[in-house]
Amino acid sequence: GAGVSQSPSNKVTEKGKDVELRCDPISGHTALYWYRQRLGQGLEFLIYFQGNSAPDKSGLPSDRFSAERTGESVSTLTIQRTQQEDSAVYLCASSFLAPGPGGETQYFGPGTRLLVL
Amino acid sequence: SQQGEEDPQALSIQEGENATMNCSYKTSINNLQWYRQNSGRGLVHLILIRSNEREKHSGRLRVTLDTSKKSSSLLITASRAADTASYFCAAGPNQAGTALIFGKGTTLSVSS
């Protein structure tokens, strides 16, 4: 597609339920990133993929969070047993260049707004 | 924390005025990027400046970089109401395999 797409746009769930967020990167982009942004806050790095591998999982807040990427394309971010503090916008981005000195430009999707009641 | 800091956190100006936002970072960088975000949705890349550059222009945007002070500034000239958004700097580390480090952002409000 022309840009990064994410689904769903909005998700309301009950505390304790699992949610799955999807990201479709720009075709041909090797790197894919997930961020979390709480209301009025900056971006919190969660994880990135180079191809289907995740070299840096350091940002995942807890073991309730996991992510995978298949076919060097679509990625899913799963949050198990959601808590109210998980409420945020989850942003996905992709880049043609790998992270590093090359200077990757990240292209962002519109985000998924998650509300945990 | 490696996260950068933008200054000010919020800025309110009138249309036609210039807006200056500053960014400080902690890591050794290869490049510094600025992004814009409207209404809490996806970020849009504005401009990239390399560590061996001191100033770069793009339309009404002017970015400066001082690697000795680990700081950058974004100047928007002749601001418009449509420039109202949050602006984030992102430091590109020198290390391969290390992703951009985003700052906390400056919220700019331009009133007509």
Side-chain angles (χ1 to χ4, degrees):
Chain A
V4 179
S5 59
Q6 292 186 246
S7 60
S9 299
N10 295 280
K11 176 72 178 178
V12 180
T13 190
E14 293 179 349
K15 178 181 172 181
K17 295 284 179 72
D18 297 351
V19 294
E20 199 169 273
L21 312 180
R22 177 186 169 109
C23 172
D24 284 89
I26 293 172
S27 178
H29 279 197
T30 59
L32 184 148
Y33 313 79
W34 283 100
Y35 299 90
R36 178 169 73 179
Q37 186 177 34
R38 293 198 168 103
L39 189 63
Q41 302 296 310
L43 273 68
E44 179 185 0
F45 170 80
L46 298 179
I47 189 171
Y48 91 86
F49 290 88
Q50 183 58 39
N52 292 332
S53 302
D56 187 356
K57 301 180 182 179
S58 61
L60 293 176
S62 74
D63 59 8
R64 296 187 296 106
F65 287 72
S66 63
E68 64 174 20
R69 188 182 185 195
T70 55
E72 298 197 4
S73 179
V74 65
S75 174
T76 54
L77 176 69
T78 301
I79 309 173
Q80 295 178 308
R81 305 180 302 281
T82 52
Q83 303 293 312
Q84 288 180 332
E85 65 260 28
D86 299 334
S87 296
V89 175
Y90 289 81
L91 292 164
C92 174
S94 69
S95 65
F96 178 71
L97 294 176
E104 82 277 16
T105 295
Q106 296 188 13
Y107 295 83
F108 282 79
T112 293
R113 188 158 286 156
L114 174 67
L115 178 60
V116 182
L117 300 176
Chain B
S1 167
Q2 289 291 325
Q3 196 168 34
E5 298 276 344
E6 278 94 339
D7 160 48
Q9 289 187 326
L11 179 61
S12 293
I13 59 174
Q14 298 285 320
E15 263 193 327
E17 293 180 339
N18 295 341
T20 299
M21 289 161 268
N22 302 297
C23 164
S24 61
Y25 57 90
K26 298 178 183 179
T27 190
S28 173
I29 65 166
N30 169 274
N31 68 89
L32 192 289
Q33 303 181 32
W34 285 89
Y35 288 77
R36 167 190 167 131
Q37 183 181 39
N38 283 25
S39 304
R41 287 301 193 178
L43 279 70
V44 175
H45 178 261
L46 294 176
I47 195 166
L48 180 154
I49 185 166
R50 299 267 176 207
S51 58
N52 60 353
E53 297 176 305
R54 291 296 166 258
E55 188 170 311
K56 198 162 185 178
H57 296 253
S58 176
R60 293 184 297 113
L61 305 180
R62 184 181 81 126
V63 170
T64 62
L65 179 64
D66 186 336
T67 53
S68 67
K69 295 181 179 177
K70 294 194 173 180
S71 67
S72 173
S73 67
L74 172 68
L75 168 68
I76 304 175
T77 60
S79 64
R80 306 166 182 167
D83 294 329
T84 296
S86 292
Y87 292 83
F88 294 86
C89 69
N94 258 321
Q95 291 175 275
T98 305
L100 292 175
I101 302 169
F102 282 84
K104 296 178 181 178
T106 291
T107 300
L108 174 66
S109 297
V110 183
S111 52
S112 53

